[in-house]
Amino acid sequence: MAESLRIVVVGSGPAGFYAAGHLLTGVGDREVMIDMVDRLPTPFGLVRSGVAPDHPKIKSVTRVFEKTAAHARFRFFGGVEFGRDVMREELRSRYHVIVYATGSSADRPMGIPGEGLAGSWAATDLVGWYNAHPDYADLEFDLSGERAVVVGNGNVALDVARMLVLAPAELALTDTADHAIDALAGSAIREVVVLGRRGPGQAAFTNPELRELGELEDVDVVVDAEQLEAALAVSDPDMNATAKRNVEILRGYAQRPSRGASRRIELRFLRSPLELIGERRVQALLVARNQLVEGDAGSLKAVATGHRETIETGLVLRAIGYRGLPLAGVPFDGRRGTIANEHGRVIGDDGPAVGEYAVGWIKRGPSGVIGTNKKDAQETVDVILADAEAGRVLTPDLAVSDLQDLLTARKNGVVGYDGWERIDRHERARGEPTGRPRVKLTGLGEMLRIAAGE
Ligand code: NAP
């Protein structure tokens, strides 16, 4: 039997787990051993700390990942940061293949004046906060104003808009962080205005997410019919079936009489943020009214009409996309915010980097839903298999220590999959008395204690 193929996956989100699952089925007659490292003691990336807590069905994909993790030739090293606790060269000398699956962990700035004022946030900050991500758990959002503004027309914009108006009774049944449940219960926000720089036909919402807004308890969804039709006046040959259905859903909202609900979400189109206004805190957002014109690539783009409006608000959340961050020593495409790659093969200055691959958002950018990563991972795995069969892999140095020994000698607080299972059981048990799926831990110290069985 040929020597086992040793593979390390950096990042334990959906892309990393799908890749690991595909790889564990073997490479020809060669067995595969997978080691997966993650910066956090907890696995599953955005499934744990990105997916909105009121979407438990989406999170149930972790059952697939749990099966992968239960495989005899799979090991998890949580609390291990690539570039700090372990370096690229150390992995290159221990594995045949490295798969980078680190996602897009940074937000994109709007690049407008006033963006640094208090009260101006990336939506990803709020998402990390309500999902109990340890890096965001201590943030404090001022929810004392009546109106919040969300910039962007993607699903993250809808997630944060919805979370800000969910009734406390709806939140209480979720795994939302306790600190967020408390803060949101005392929130004065009654209106969330969601701004799209282009029209309803160009929004990046998916249909179920847009439809769901209209099903929220005690929330009116407001769309101005005249504005909507005006924004649809320029025909868009690029509109796909999802976009067409979005338009129908939005027309439905525009026709709906107000239910007199205590909270509302207003969707406004053809509006671009120009400036956040305020002394030390945001007091208002100045926006430009746009019109649609044909862009260079044939798709419609927004250009300012010269008309402006001011929206009073103390809380502005930009939900205009994520961005990947470079990994120490790994070729990076700064323009795309991804690892430089072709079909997952990492591409350095001198061509393909033997044995190194990318998968998921750090490969293709922040697009698609969780399931999209399954197909994406398959593409990378197919390339890995072809390269492995042709012998284009790294040559591990048998004289160097195993990753486990290297990390044990180097740092405390490395969490194995059994440690995560202890955290998981603990969180679920905490949720049981109140019928919640889990009550998440937020502090790294507490996570490490529970993981160690203390
Ligand atoms: P997204 O889908 O790419 O949407 C980004 C939005 O920001 C677009 O409407 C874009 O408008 C707008 N935008 C970009 N730059 C802007 C600027 N400077 N000023 C104003 N608007 C600007 O990104 P996302 O919402 O972060 O979502 C990321 C991915 O995760 C998506 O694939 C999404 O579907 C997925 N996701 C899925 C779910 C779910 O399935 N429930 C939940 C959350 C996220 P233009 O089109 O004009 O560029």
Side-chain angles (χ1 to χ4, degrees):
M1 180 116 178
E3 182 200 4
S4 295
L5 201 66
R6 293 162 61 171
I7 300 183
V8 62
V9 180
V10 182
S12 70
F17 260 106
Y18 279 128
H22 293 320
L23 284 164
L24 279 166
T25 57
V27 175
D29 65 345
R30 283 177 91 169
E31 271 192 355
V32 168
M33 294 166 57
I34 303 266
D35 285 346
M36 183 181 271
V37 301
D38 198 288
R39 196 167 78 79
L40 291 180
T42 54
F44 309 142
L46 280 188
V47 178
R48 179 172 163 96
S49 51
V51 172
D54 62 333
H55 282 170
K57 266 201 206 134
I58 299 184
K59 295 185 192 228
S60 61
V61 68
T62 54
R63 285 195 210 116
V64 176
F65 305 154
E66 281 160 6
K67 279 200 189 129
T68 298
H71 206 288
R73 295 189 306 277
F74 176 95
R75 296 188 301 181
F76 177 69
F77 298 90
V80 176
E81 185 170 340
F82 179 91
R84 187 195 63 182
D85 303 318
V86 68
M87 301 298 165
R88 177 187 184 215
E89 281 313 316
E90 291 169 331
L91 296 183
R92 283 171 57 87
S93 60
R94 285 170 174 79
Y95 295 91
H96 294 97
V97 169
I98 307 173
V99 180
Y100 300 105
T102 48
S104 310
S105 47
D107 67 279
R108 291 186 51 221
M110 295 187 285
I112 59 172
E115 201 167 1
L117 289 172
S120 161
W121 295 93
T124 49
D125 293 327
L126 190 83
V127 171
W129 173 75
Y130 62 57
N131 273 323
H133 188 299
D135 290 356
Y136 301 87
D138 295 331
L139 298 182
E140 285 183 22
F141 293 88
D142 182 353
L143 306 174
S144 64
E146 285 210 359
R147 182 183 296 124
V149 176
V150 179
V151 178
N153 265 185
N155 283 332
V156 171
L158 294 188
D159 276 350
V160 296
R162 205 177 62 248
M163 286 297 290
L164 286 173
V165 297
L166 270 195
E170 287 174 294
L171 270 182
L173 295 173
T174 69
D175 67 1
T176 306
D178 278 350
H179 56 246
I181 292 186
D182 291 346
L184 289 165
S187 164
I189 293 171
R190 293 293 170 264
E191 179 179 76
V192 180
V193 179
V194 180
L195 300 179
R197 65 176 167 183
R198 297 194 290 158
Q202 294 75 44
F205 310 138
T206 46
N207 303 143
E209 280 64 28
L210 185 57
R211 210 174 279 120
E212 184 185 6
L213 288 191
E215 292 158 7
L216 297 175
E217 234 177 71
D218 201 23
V219 176
D220 276 326
V221 182
V222 179
V223 177
D224 183 274
E226 210 173 299
Q227 213 186 79
L228 185 77
E229 296 308 326
L232 287 164
V234 182
S235 79
D236 181 354
D238 278 356
M239 257 172 67
N240 59 19
T242 298
K244 286 180 185 156
R245 251 176 265 129
N246 276 344
V247 169
E248 288 320 308
I249 298 166
L250 289 162
R251 283 198 166 117
Y253 291 149
Q255 302 307 323
R256 254 196 208 186
S258 161
R259 290 186 294 172
S262 66
R263 299 176 186 213
R264 49 184 253 152
I265 294 177
E266 184 184 343
L267 299 155
R268 277 191 218 173
F269 299 96
L270 299 179
R271 301 288 191 277
S272 283
L274 281 180
E275 182 176 354
L276 290 106
I277 300 163
E279 289 291 317
R280 296 223 309 275
R281 301 196 54 79
V282 176
Q283 288 171 321
L285 177 66
L286 180 66
V287 300
R289 283 200 222 154
N290 300 329
Q291 59 185 347
L292 293 174
V293 297
E294 206 169 300
D296 299 336
S299 61
L300 296 183
K301 70 172 188 184
V303 293
T305 59
H307 293 284
R308 296 173 168 197
E309 61 195 38
T310 304
I311 306 174
E312 276 182 37
T313 180
L315 179 62
V316 175
L317 296 150
R318 56 183 183 279
I320 61 170
Y322 291 82
R323 198 164 45 90
L325 294 178
L327 294 166
V330 183
F332 195 71
D333 179 340
R335 199 180 46 82
R336 295 182 62 230
T338 61
I339 288 178
N341 77 95
E342 275 171 19
H343 305 293
R345 234 181 231 120
V346 175
I347 305 293
D349 291 342
D350 310 322
V354 172
E356 291 180 83
Y357 303 86
V359 71
W361 279 7
I362 199 64
K363 165 188 172 188
R364 69 175 194 277
S367 65
V369 294
I370 286 168
T372 313
N373 294 298
K374 189 169 180 187
K375 204 161 150 235
D376 180 285
Q378 188 65 61
E379 182 191 51
T380 296
V381 168
D382 287 345
V383 169
I384 297 174
L385 299 189
D387 285 353
E389 298 220 335
R392 284 192 301 264
V393 290
L394 295 161
T395 314
D397 178 353
L398 299 178
V400 300
S401 57
D402 175 71
L403 181 64
Q404 173 98 60
D405 300 328
L406 173 86
L407 292 170
T408 306
R410 183 169 288 173
K411 77 180 296 258
N412 294 321
V414 178
V415 175
Y417 202 77
D418 55 343
W420 151 246
E421 286 176 319
R422 276 185 214 109
I423 295 175
D424 187 37
R425 280 195 299 274
H426 178 84
E427 290 186 341
R428 286 177 193 276
R430 292 214 304 172
E432 243 167 54
T434 44
R436 295 168 64 189
R438 65 178 66 238
V439 174
K440 285 181 177 172
L441 300 177
T442 53
L444 284 176
E446 200 180 3
M447 286 184 194
L448 295 183
R449 277 197 300 282
I450 303 290
E454 288 166 18

